[in-house]
Amino acid sequence: MTHSGELFYGYAIEIQDNLKQAKREIQSHQCEFSGELTVFSSLGMAKLVMPVLDDLALNAPNMTIKWVLSEGRQTQLNRVAFDVMLHIDTPQDSEMVGQYLGDVELDYYASPVYLAKNGRISSDSDIGRLSTIYSSVLPDAPKVWKLTVGDELKAIELKPQYTVGSPELSLELALSHHGVARLPKFLAQEHVKRGKLALACTEPQKFAFPIYAIYPSRQYMPDKSRLFIDNVRRVLDKITGSNDYFPSSTSA
């Protein structure tokens, strides 16, 4: 081996040893339920998985939580540094790791006051005569609702009275008797129980969006992130398996 080759080999070995040492230190640091965990999600999702905090307080008392609120969409990934993002819909960024956690079911809701005055939805033509509240965080998203009528699933183009950027605002508009909103069941269920909302359709509507936990790396996932994700999955399993997740209609 030439002198230059020996120098190159020596430097390569040193770099390799430093890399191995760095990996050991990172893994040692990540095998702890401590430090700050940054979670990125919508307000509604944060409310849904709030029971996770009870388990973390018990099993990871030295860990702190920084919860950054947004609409929980992957289009906003470049705006914030995070450990775990709770993302609605299928992930698009191949550089991130997406772990499926469960589904969020949706249905159409309005206040009983509004439905008593305007009637419920029994066909796709009924939507055209009602005031609709459309929610999407994507400004150019097609304004389309899916409606099950008998055995047929129809896609209906909307001309909404209100277009908003969050399901929470859709909820407030529906509660204030402004029209029909498509809402996650977990947001609507308590208001249905109190008689403030009712199902707007005469037939059950079954459609859902998947929920994913998104994080930067599978190989170097900190234990605190793994603990959080495992507990979110357990909370979602419990909620979606509960009868309370499927609120019954309040008569209009």
Side-chain angles (χ1 to χ4, degrees), residues 30 84 170 252:
Q30 291 176 336
V84 179
S170 289

Side-chain angles (χ1 to χ4, degrees), residues 144-161:
V144 175
W145 276 356
K146 293 181 180 180
L147 184 70
T148 299
V149 180
D151 296 329
E152 188 177 359
L153 180 63
K154 298 184 177 182
I156 302 169
E157 292 188 10
L158 298 181
K159 295 181 179 179
Q161 186 74 21

Side-chain angles (χ1 to χ4, degrees), residues 26-152:
I26 290 172
Q27 290 169 348
S28 174
H29 178 71
Q30 291 176 336
C31 291
E32 301 174 0
F33 296 143
S34 62
E36 184 177 81
L37 177 74
T38 300
V39 180
F40 187 47
S41 80
S42 68
L43 177 59
M45 188 62 62
K47 291 179 178 179
L48 178 65
V49 301
M50 198 59 64
V52 168
L53 300 184
D54 295 333
D55 183 82
L56 294 181
L58 179 64
N59 295 309
N62 296 323
M63 189 170 77
T64 60
I65 305 292
K66 179 181 179 181
W67 210 304
V68 181
L69 294 179
S70 76
E71 284 315 306
R73 294 281 181 168
Q74 199 174 359
T75 52
Q76 297 172 302
L77 285 179
N78 60 343
R79 302 182 189 177
V80 64
F82 63 91
D83 295 300
V84 179
M85 176 183 183
L86 299 180
H87 173 69
I88 300 173
D89 216 345
T90 305
Q92 303 297 321
D93 191 338
S94 59
E95 295 182 359
M96 295 286 178
V97 179
Q99 188 175 147
Y100 172 76
L101 299 178
D103 290 319
V104 170
E105 294 198 0
L106 301 95
D107 212 320
Y108 300 102
Y109 297 89
S111 71
V113 171
Y114 182 85
L115 294 175
K117 182 179 179 180
N118 297 280
R120 298 172 71 196
I121 299 170
S122 58
S123 68
D124 53 329
S125 61
D126 288 333
I127 291 182
R129 64 176 176 78
L130 298 175
S131 174
T132 52
I133 305 163
Y134 180 78
S135 173
S136 176
V137 298
L138 302 177
D140 299 324
K143 295 179 174 61
V144 175
W145 276 356
K146 293 181 180 180
L147 184 70
T148 299
V149 180
D151 296 329
E152 188 177 359

